[in-house]
Amino acid sequence: MTTGIEISRPALKPGVRLQGISADYIALVPPGSQMTEALALPSMIRGIDIRAFLRSCDGRSRITALATMSGLELEECVKIIEKLKEKNLVNLGRTLIPYQSRYNPYSQKIESVADVEALKSDPAIETFLEKFEIESYAIQFHDNVVDSGRDSVLRRKDFSILIFGINRIAFQLGSLLIASGFSHLRYINRRNPRDPLLRISNRDISGNIFRSSDIGMQKFAQFIELCDDFALFSKDSRDLSGKAKNVDLVISTEPPTADQIQRWMNEETAHIPISYEVGGIVRIGPLVKPGKTPCLRCVELSTIAGNESEVEADREVPSSLVALVSGIVAADIANLSHSAQSVFWATSRRYSLRDYISPKEERWQPHPGCGCFWR
């Protein structure tokens, strides 16, 4: 997508308010923000009211046309849009949204679709675009988003995630990630194929994707089958197989073994544990970037003489915490894939039915007895 301001079609982002703050200045206030976060602009330039120019920024006209209509010089318009861009208040263009391959009656072939909005709309396309826009609109006020968040959501298709675990959180989190557009998602477990925990049981029914009618079915097979019901992107965009691929993030919803942790460290793969602890506590984090942040061994050494809660690997998490924890992690991964930012870098948080609004936060430092930074 071209985002050069001089050839752009600027559009104020939804919810941005124009508010007068004095006789000479107006403020553009992002939704849900205070005046301290607003962008102040002069209300008049050479006697021309710039509010008319701003209201004309609806994405339909190029900036050259907007300059002509408003009476402002092109350079003046560009400077205004540059300031709006710095504050993440404006979209500059439209990123094309690809769609699943379709039969083209003109060529009489199955062809890929580079721009779904160029197709004649039908119920399937309308449903897809509605779900896509929900995801993209939610991220359009993030830094460096100038296309209503479309590119950020599309890039989720290439962000590869590996989930260790077969518990409630593992599958609830997986369904949220697939619904958010993360299409390269794989599950790994080290159990015997005949292990009864690989089949859906009453303990797996928590208001998530599995139903009572699924009891007895294989968890992984049923999850893949149900993906079509909630996935954002079509089947030909998804990779739920166990095939080898570079992994961007490992999520461990069960206690990882020492050899697993060592492998992630050696392969320089980011990883984050989610553990259930004594007292009904779920701990998320820390998110580890090998060689850049403290590792899980640093955490172990830092707490070996403390009062660290014991992990309850064979217990399940109550339904409300399954939803809370899965949603928090899925939202954080959306930010991670967009900007490499996470609230869990070198940080863990403990959630429970007692502490769910203000969880206990712990920040970790490299432990001198670990040596993970010496590799």
Side-chain angles (χ1 to χ4, degrees):
M1 182 195 70
T2 300
T3 58
I5 290 179
E6 291 193 7
I7 59 172
S8 67
R9 297 178 185 271
L12 280 182
K13 293 184 178 181
V16 175
R17 304 194 319 271
L18 274 65
Q19 186 171 329
I21 53 178
S22 72
D24 299 318
Y25 286 90
I26 61 171
L28 287 87
V29 189
S33 302
Q34 304 297 321
M35 285 295 293
T36 54
E37 302 173 69
L39 170 65
L41 293 174
S43 57
M44 306 286 286
I45 296 179
R46 294 187 293 102
I48 299 172
D49 190 341
I50 69 164
R51 280 170 286 202
F53 168 76
L54 294 171
R55 293 190 180 103
S56 298
C57 293
D58 55 10
R60 290 182 292 185
S61 303
R62 292 192 182 277
I63 193 169
T64 49
L66 293 174
T68 301
M69 288 187 293
S70 64
L72 295 169
E73 297 292 336
L74 178 61
E75 292 78 9
E76 295 169 332
C77 295
V78 168
K79 287 181 179 179
I80 293 172
I81 298 302
E82 284 176 342
K83 291 180 179 180
L84 294 174
K85 182 183 176 184
E86 289 174 4
K87 286 285 191 175
N88 299 311
L89 299 175
V90 67
N91 291 312
L92 299 179
R94 183 177 73 94
T95 293
L96 304 184
I97 304 174
Y99 193 59
Q100 60 188 356
S101 299
R102 281 199 158 198
Y103 177 74
N104 186 335
Y106 299 103
S107 65
Q108 297 184 345
K109 295 179 181 179
I110 301 293
E111 297 178 346
S112 60
V113 177
D115 182 9
V116 65
E117 292 167 308
L119 296 176
K120 182 179 180 181
S121 185
D122 62 29
I125 290 176
E126 290 174 3
T127 298
F128 167 70
L129 285 175
E130 183 176 15
K131 291 165 63 177
F132 187 95
E133 288 177 352
I134 290 172
E135 297 297 326
S136 64
Y137 278 19
I139 206 165
Q140 66 175 320
F141 281 95
H142 282 52
D143 290 344
N144 303 315
V145 173
V146 292
D147 68 340
S148 301
R150 291 181 168 201
D151 180 66
S152 180
V153 175
L154 290 173
R155 284 190 283 111
R156 294 177 187 176
K157 292 196 294 183
D158 298 318
F159 190 89
S160 180
I161 300 171
L162 185 64
I163 296 180
F164 272 78
I166 58 170
N167 51 27
R168 285 179 165 190
I169 288 178
F171 287 101
Q172 178 72 72
L173 177 57
S175 66
L176 294 177
L177 291 171
I178 289 290
S180 301
F182 293 94
S183 301
H184 282 282
L185 175 69
R186 292 180 286 144
Y187 282 88
I188 294 291
N189 82 94
R190 302 303 185 192
R191 289 177 171 79
N192 185 295
R194 296 181 180 274
D195 192 322
L197 288 178
L198 294 176
R199 293 187 177 273
I200 300 169
S201 67
N202 285 318
R203 63 189 278 141
D204 299 302
I205 311 303
S206 65
N208 61 4
I209 61 170
F210 295 137
R211 303 157 297 187
S212 296
S213 58
D214 298 327
I215 291 177
M217 295 182 177
Q218 287 283 349
K219 290 181 180 179
F220 296 115
Q222 187 65 358
F223 176 82
I224 291 174
E225 181 178 334
L226 292 172
C227 277
D228 287 336
D229 292 335
F230 53 75
L232 176 60
F233 294 112
S234 62
K235 186 180 297 185
D236 61 0
S237 299
R238 299 198 302 270
D239 178 12
L240 305 180
S241 68
K243 297 178 181 178
K245 183 185 185 299
N246 291 335
V247 176
D248 294 300
L249 176 67
V250 173
I251 306 168
S252 184
T253 66
E254 296 177 354
T257 62
D259 65 308
Q260 288 170 341
I261 295 173
Q262 189 60 49
R263 179 178 179 180
W264 302 334
M265 294 296 291
N266 291 341
E267 295 177 350
E268 299 185 350
T269 301
H271 51 279
I272 183 171
I274 304 173
S275 55
Y276 188 67
E277 300 178 344
V278 172
I281 298 168
V282 180
R283 185 174 76 177
I284 306 174
L287 176 55
V288 176
K289 188 172 185 178
K292 302 294 183 182
T293 69
C295 71
L296 299 184
R297 176 64 174 161
C298 292
V299 174
E300 181 182 355
L301 291 172
S302 299
T303 57
I304 201 165
N307 296 317
E308 185 80 353
S309 296
E310 295 182 7
V311 174
E312 294 192 323
D314 60 339
R315 298 294 298 273
E316 272 294 5
V317 178
S319 299
S320 55
L321 285 185
V322 171
L324 175 68
V325 168
S326 300
I328 288 171
V329 174
D332 192 69
I333 293 173
N335 290 329
L336 181 68
S337 69
H338 171 72
S339 63
Q341 299 300 312
S342 168
V343 299
F344 294 107
W345 286 126
T347 302
S348 60
R349 289 179 171 83
R350 282 184 164 93
Y351 297 85
S352 70
L353 296 181
R354 303 180 305 281
D355 298 308
Y356 53 89
I357 297 298
S358 301
K360 181 181 178 182
E361 180 179 288
E362 296 161 299
R363 297 184 180 274
W364 304 100
Q365 299 292 330
H367 193 279
C370 178
C372 60
F373 276 55
W374 306 345
R375 296 184 308 109

